[in-house]
Amino acid sequence: MEGTCELCDRNGIELTIHHLTPRELGGSLLPIAYLCKSCHKQVHALYSNRELAIRLYTVLLMKDDEALKKYLKWIKKQPVTRVVKIRKSKTK
Ligand SMILES: [Zn+2]
Ligand SMILES: [Zn+2]
């Protein structure tokens, strides 16, 4: 699915679903956020599931965290790189 990432606000980017409260901690039915792959990776690299559940359970809280702020400043300047699917064609 393509759209706008809720963290870095870049457009036309492939989105993944982030459970604001990790599923392991009972977040399956709680709100989700659509994040691009880079942001999603970054969020999980910076914080443990427990930290996300206790402290960073909304997009606004995440955006306001010092470590993510730094990352967002940088990622916003990065172009949306599309992963090009390679089509294998049998030409004979
Ligand atoms: Zn993003
Ligand atoms: Zn996630």
Side-chain angles (χ1 to χ4, degrees), residues 19-31 49 53:
H19 288 261
L20 289 163
T21 302
R23 272 171 295 183
E24 294 79 8
L25 297 168
S28 319
L29 300 170
L30 293 169
N49 280 349

Side-chain angles (χ1 to χ4, degrees), residues 70-84:
K70 249 191 219 165
Y71 156 80
L72 285 173
K73 219 177 167 185
W74 169 79
I75 193 75
K76 278 172 197 271
K77 289 181 216 146
Q78 308 307 309
V80 177
T81 41
R82 282 169 199 276
V83 181
V84 181

Side-chain angles (χ1 to χ4, degrees), residues 1-4 10-15 36-38 75 78-86:
M1 190 189 59
E2 256 182 34
T4 307
R10 289 184 302 164
N11 275 311
I13 201 161
E14 180 78 29
L15 297 172
C36 71
K37 283 178 188 162
S38 323
I75 193 75
Q78 308 307 309
V80 177
T81 41
R82 282 169 199 276
V83 181
V84 181
K85 278 182 191 160
I86 296 162

Side-chain angles (χ1 to χ4, degrees), residues 17-19 35 40 43-44 52:
I17 290 173
H18 170 66
H19 288 261
L35 307 182
H40 205 173
V43 164
H44 286 286
L52 289 170

